[in-house]
Amino acid sequence: MAIRYDETRKVFTLQTEKSTYQMKVDGHGILLHTYFGGPADETDFSYLIVPEDHGFCGQPGDVVEDRTYSMDYYPLEYPVHGNGDYRVKALKAGWKGEVPGLDLRYDSHKIYPGKYGLPGLPAFFEAESEAAAAHRTVETLEIVLKDLYEEIYVTLYYGVFEKAGLITRAAVIENRGGKILEVKRAMSASFDFPEGDLDLIHFYGKHACERQFERRSVFHGISEIGSIRGTSSHQQNPFVILCEKAATEDFGGCWGVVLLYSGGFKIQVEKDQFDMTRLVCGLDDDEFIWELKGGERFVTPEAAVLYTDRGLTDLSQSLSAAYRKNLIRSWWKDRKRPVLVNNWEATYFNFNQEKLSGIARQASRLGLDMLVLDDGWFGKRDDDNSGLGDWKVNETKLGCSMKEMAEKVNGLGLKFGIWMEPEMVSEDSDLYRAHPDWAFQVPGRTPNRGRNQLVLDLTRKDVRDYIKTNVDHLLNNANIEYVKWDMNRSIESVGSAADPSQSQGALRHRYVLGLYEILEEFVTRHPRVLLEGCSGGGGRFDAGFLYYAPQTWCSDNTDAIERLRIQYGTSFGYPMSSVSAHVSVCPNHQNGRVTPFKTRGICAMQGAFGYELDLEKLDGEDQAEAKRQIERYQEYSDLFRNGSYYRLTSPFENSDFTAWSYVSEDKTCASLSVVYTDLHANPKGLRVKWKGLQEHGVYVLEGKEYSGKALMQGGMVLPKPECNYDSYMVIIEQKN
Ligand code: GLA
């Protein structure tokens, strides 16, 4: 049993193979959070709470004689605004026009096998094999809390994945009263830690420089990670880690917290007056008011947390395994992904059939699997100022229909894919001319533009239907086997002509719900189409999107050296199989850097591999190297997709080289990739230690035999770099 309830002591203990999580209903009916850490027994951990009469820590209204009992320092499971807790809260709600405030007490609970679902929202699920097993290892706990005074209910959902070590959470707020309930903040989860001495690791960035690793001490006060851009954003990511100060890649307690949401979000970490730490995460509550009439419910997005006491590598690997088994649904998730060439950096908008056919022919000769036609094939779209919304093929430019284009590409033995940006509209488009009210606009104001485009109002059914019909029409009429689903601006002021009364925050959330509805239908109607997420590169790289798309274009920055940091950061919270990465031309289009072709290949093979350059322009040497890269990737694609990923050095700490490795599940095969980032006269020997090998296995490395122990403890000496940004890659196989 993953979930136990001790009736006498009113203690819920959630057990996974990596962690124990505990809550207790106390004498006042308050749901306390009593433990979350390494595997423990069912001891009632409330003994760790020391009641004191602390100054300025008041009591809830019904507690009169006990001044040691205060919400302001008790560890709470779902803290609310209004009962004397002055730390960051999970929930703020109240009757419309009245003072907001709640006081939630335990009402009831249920435990059942399998995983709860969240209709309309991405959520982890119990895999078919787990559901069919005699011993079910995934269980759900629902705890219903009720306001002390009013008919307002909150159900806390817990999904416990015993094997994966993962615990998911969501909350449902329900108005069973007669008045209108205004929900002003509804977080997915809150976690109270008695520890105050923790580090926070998060991933910040900007366009073309996403998910940069930053680790800092949790300080007294509130640290906030979030996005008010309507998307999960390039600037911050809805995945953070809290860890012990001493935690490293290889040991130490780490809690990885992920929000399955592709819109604006907020994660706050507060170290309070008694040195305890609280983390809350959920929807961005900026300008958020969600009205619930009697009988209505609000469902938060799902959050998930994974604790391990074995360091950051184990955290990332365990999360990746959970994503692969229990979150990504795509038909492609366990299949070899096509090695593709995308024409964006090769041609931008300037292409015709002859150019595309040339690239396709060369792709076929080199052994690639797919041609992807990027932006510019539809409507009036020869630059990025017009055409979005008009998803009709520009046959004059393409010289044929989309069906014929796909056939030509298929005729060369390649699959065919396309780019789309369905959520957007250009003012210079037939769609906008016909339906200006379909774009978010604030009446009486010229709309803010981003990349000279407006955002479609996905809260409207007619808009969602238009998108679904257009996408279906394209996919049903041509053999399109891949779609890159792009989204190229931030969302700010959202005025909906259909419903002007809603709060900005509510509209932005309804936008994301509208997007999820469209994506759900996409994956249901076109299950074999490989869907790749994109938002100006990695502006919407989040676990919510992974539920629909097994991979996302990681960054518009294709420079191999900057990608080292971007892909390093991404690897903490997401599986490398979801990191789409391409070899592009040099000097690099984003930063002008020149790197060897070989190095660009090694970096791109870190994720879902492809090319994004004019293959026809490759010289003989690069063509030969491309062939080698593709052969290697095809041969070891299983290792790269399913192997355990190890960060061997950090590009933020080691200025000489960045190294990573993949080890197959049975540990018989492993790859090592190294990119040199500096050159030295009179150089020292550079060494790297392998990880994750079979200790007693004998591995063949460059023709010589080494024990796994030797390679992991002693390491190996790397070859000397021969030029700027040189690189090295080797695959070792176990002999015995
Ligand atoms: C975004 C994407 C790019 C490319 C362009 C096309 O920026 O991230 O890869 O598809 O749009 O306009």
Side-chain angles (χ1 to χ4, degrees):
M1 290 284 281
I3 303 171
R4 304 284 286 238
Y5 178 60
D6 177 337
E7 180 73 57
T8 330
R9 291 174 300 164
K10 299 201 172 352
V11 166
F12 297 94
T13 307
L14 281 44
Q15 296 284 15
T16 79
E17 288 185 0
K18 291 179 174 294
S19 59
T20 298
Y21 185 111
Q22 196 188 75
M23 296 161 268
K24 179 185 171 81
V25 181
D26 75 3
H28 296 283
I30 292 283
L31 188 61
L32 303 175
H33 175 88
T34 45
Y35 180 82
F36 185 21
D41 55 21
E42 287 171 46
T43 300
D44 176 353
F45 282 100
S46 63
Y47 72 83
L48 292 169
I49 303 170
V50 186
E52 290 282 352
D53 180 359
H54 291 295
F56 288 83
C57 292
Q59 284 70 51
D62 61 325
V63 180
V64 271
E65 57 309 299
D66 183 2
R67 285 172 52 155
T68 70
Y69 184 80
S70 174
M71 297 302 96
D72 210 15
Y73 67 86
Y74 268 44
L76 302 172
E77 187 58 22
Y78 198 68
V80 295
H81 173 86
N83 66 349
D85 180 353
Y86 294 87
R87 296 167 287 179
V88 289
K89 250 80 74 185
L91 183 64
K92 182 174 182 180
W95 299 129
K96 189 172 183 174
E98 298 180 19
V99 178
L102 291 171
D103 192 339
L104 297 179
R105 306 295 170 101
Y106 172 82
D107 179 76
S108 60
H109 77 269
K110 59 179 174 195
I111 297 170
Y112 51 92
K115 166 74 188 356
Y116 66 86
L118 296 176
L121 282 163
F124 281 91
F125 52 82
E126 181 183 36
E128 273 176 30
S129 57
E130 291 169 318
H135 168 61
R136 301 273 286 272
T137 53
V138 181
E139 286 183 349
T140 293
L141 165 65
E142 293 180 19
I143 304 180
V144 180
L145 307 173
K146 182 195 170 299
D147 182 56
L148 192 57
Y149 307 97
E150 304 285 348
E151 286 296 299
I152 301 167
Y153 290 78
V154 174
T155 306
L156 302 181
Y157 283 79
Y158 298 81
V160 182
F161 292 75
E162 196 179 323
K163 296 270 167 220
L166 188 85
I167 295 173
T168 66
R169 296 202 36 192
V172 174
I173 295 109
E174 196 179 343
N175 176 5
R176 292 193 205 160
K179 298 188 248 179
I180 291 178
L181 182 69
E182 276 188 343
V183 180
K184 298 190 167 166
R185 176 182 175 97
M187 302 310 251
S188 304
S190 173
F191 304 98
D192 275 359
F193 301 90
E195 295 90 348
D197 216 11
L198 297 173
D199 278 354
L200 172 67
I201 299 176
H202 71 112
F203 305 88
Y204 71 96
K206 57 186 173 185
H207 176 233
C209 186
E210 298 88 340
R211 290 172 297 287
Q212 303 290 296
F213 176 95
E214 188 165 71
R215 179 173 180 163
R216 60 183 186 205
S217 294
V218 174
F219 55 80
H220 286 101
I222 302 167
S223 318
E224 188 173 304
I225 311 296
S227 159
I228 54 164
R229 293 167 177 272
T231 58
S232 47
S233 91
H234 302 84
Q235 288 73 11
Q236 305 279 353
N237 193 267
F239 169 70
V240 299
I241 301 168
L242 274 180
C243 62
E244 291 168 356
K245 287 236 149 292
T248 65
E249 287 284 4
D250 303 309
F251 69 87
C254 319
W255 295 261
V257 179
V258 59
L259 187 70
L260 283 72
Y261 192 62
S262 308
F265 71 95
K266 187 174 271 186
I267 299 176
Q268 290 172 315
V269 179
E270 178 171 6
K271 182 166 167 178
D272 69 15
Q273 55 183 332
F274 304 112
D275 291 348
M276 293 186 293
T277 305
R278 170 173 294 171
L279 184 150
V280 294
C281 69
L283 276 179
D284 167 34
D285 60 352
D286 186 41
E287 305 171 283
F288 181 83
I289 302 174
W290 193 280
E291 290 195 358
L292 290 179
K293 296 198 197 81
E296 287 185 344
R297 294 149 35 107
F298 178 79
V299 182
T300 70
E302 183 164 274
V305 61
L306 195 144
Y307 173 81
T308 174
D309 54 14
R310 281 190 254 142
L312 297 165
T313 299
D314 187 57
L315 178 70
S316 302
Q317 291 181 352
S318 307
L319 266 176
S320 289
Y323 288 142
R324 291 210 302 267
K325 186 162 192 178
N326 305 106
L327 181 67
I328 302 174
R329 293 176 294 171
S330 170
W331 182 82
W332 284 95
K333 75 167 164 181
D334 292 324
R335 291 184 165 78
K336 190 176 93 55
R337 308 280 166 83
V339 178
L340 60 83
V341 57
N342 176 305
N343 75 309
W344 179 241
E345 286 201 20
T347 65
Y348 296 101
F349 292 100
N350 186 16
F351 58 82
N352 54 28
Q353 191 187 118
E354 202 188 329
K355 184 72 236 165
L356 295 172
S357 300
I359 295 177
R361 274 194 300 274
Q362 183 69 321
S364 166
R365 277 195 287 269
L366 293 173
L368 277 90
D369 303 309
M370 181 184 272
L371 173 83
V372 173
L373 176 53
D374 210 280
D375 197 354
W377 54 263
F378 52 89
K380 178 188 154 207
R381 185 76 174 167
D382 287 324
D383 58 37
D384 57 10
N385 291 306
S386 61
L388 288 175
D390 297 341
W391 299 108
K392 288 199 187 60
V393 184
N394 182 344
E395 295 193 5
T396 319
K397 184 169 180 179
L398 215 56
C400 61
S401 68
M402 192 61 104
K403 182 169 188 290
E404 287 160 341
M405 188 68 213
E407 281 166 3
K408 281 180 208 301
V409 174
N410 291 163
L412 293 164
L414 299 175
K415 295 179 191 299
F416 178 63
I418 57 166
W419 174 98
M420 292 190 82
E421 196 179 355
E423 300 156 63
M424 296 292 144
V425 63
S426 309
E427 284 158 279
D428 183 1
S429 69
D430 292 342
L431 179 67
Y432 187 76
R433 281 183 284 272
H435 299 286
D437 54 327
W438 281 14
F440 277 138
Q441 308 218 36
V442 178
R445 292 184 174 267
T446 312
N448 296 342
R449 299 180 184 94
R451 210 190 190 197
N452 213 3
Q453 62 197 46
L454 304 184
V455 183
L456 283 173
D457 180 356
L458 301 195
T459 71
R460 295 174 65 131
K461 184 172 178 313
D462 46 6
V463 173
R464 297 197 297 276
D465 287 347
Y466 173 83
I467 294 174
K468 291 176 200 170
T469 311
N470 276 269
V471 173
D472 280 352
H473 183 76
L474 274 160
L475 299 191
N476 292 339
N477 287 292
N479 188 22
I480 295 167
E481 295 182 75
Y482 159 109
V483 169
K484 175 175 170 189
W485 189 290
D486 209 343
M487 195 289 191
N488 278 312
R489 60 162 291 180
S490 302
I491 303 177
E492 201 195 9
S493 306
V494 279
S496 173
D499 192 353
S501 67
Q502 286 194 57
S503 78
Q504 292 286 293
L507 270 173
R508 282 194 291 259
H509 180 49
R510 284 193 205 279
Y511 175 90
V512 180
L513 295 179
L515 170 67
Y516 286 155
E517 180 193 298
I518 296 168
L519 292 175
E520 184 65 38
E521 291 197 20
F522 181 106
V523 298
T524 314
R525 292 188 204 169
H526 310 285
R528 300 254 171 132
V529 173
L530 174 55
L531 183 63
E532 173 159 317
C534 180
S535 173
R540 208 160 53 182
F541 204 123
D542 55 70
F545 220 89
L546 270 183
Y547 186 62
Y548 307 95
Q551 61 192 56
T552 288
W553 179 228
C554 183
S555 177
D556 271 351
N557 188 341
T558 57
D559 168 51
I561 304 308
E562 291 209 89
R563 273 281 184 133
L564 291 175
R565 288 181 169 212
I566 297 169
Q567 293 175 185
Y568 171 83
T570 308
S571 77
F572 281 86
Y574 303 99
M576 293 312 285
S577 59
S578 68
V579 174
S580 175
H582 298 166
V583 173
S584 65
V585 79
C586 275
N588 177 268
H589 286 188
Q590 288 79 43
N591 64 10
R593 196 196 317 260
V594 176
T595 52
F597 196 82
K598 178 175 116 188
T599 301
R600 284 174 262 158
I602 287 178
C603 280
M605 272 188 237
Q606 199 176 5
F609 181 54
Y611 290 82
E612 183 144 344
L613 44 70
D614 188 345
L615 292 174
E616 287 193 293
K617 291 192 181 145
L618 290 184
D619 63 21
E621 214 175 291
D622 286 352
Q623 281 185 37
E625 176 58 27
K627 264 195 151 160
R628 280 196 293 276
Q629 290 171 354
I630 294 160
E631 275 166 23
R632 175 170 266 183
Y633 188 76
Q634 305 281 28
E635 185 176 353
Y636 293 101
S637 75
D638 244 27
L639 171 67
F640 299 138
R641 203 180 55 255
N642 297 328
S644 302
Y645 181 76
Y646 289 90
R647 295 173 290 266
L648 300 180
T649 65
S650 160
F652 291 87
E653 284 167 8
N654 184 329
S655 59
D656 286 339
F657 67 92
T658 299
W660 65 93
S661 122
Y662 282 95
V663 180
S664 66
E665 218 177 318
D666 63 5
K667 299 176 189 265
T668 56
C669 179
S671 70
L672 170 75
S673 303
V674 180
V675 174
Y676 301 95
T677 42
D678 207 353
L679 291 174
H680 301 281
N682 194 13
K684 61 181 182 194
L686 298 177
R687 291 179 202 86
V688 70
K689 291 179 181 175
W690 291 69
K691 287 185 181 177
L693 303 177
Q694 200 84 260
E695 286 199 351
H696 301 293
V698 175
Y699 293 87
V700 183
L701 166 67
E702 313 271 18
K704 287 198 193 134
E705 292 181 7
Y706 301 85
S707 69
K709 226 175 198 174
L711 291 175
M712 292 193 291
Q713 299 298 347
M716 71 179 277
V717 178
L718 293 173
K720 281 191 196 127
E722 286 171 4
C723 63
N724 217 5
Y725 306 121
D726 202 359
S727 55
Y728 170 75
M729 184 171 180
V730 70
I731 310 261
I732 59 172
E733 313 249 3
Q734 199 179 324
K735 204 184 142 208
N736 52 354

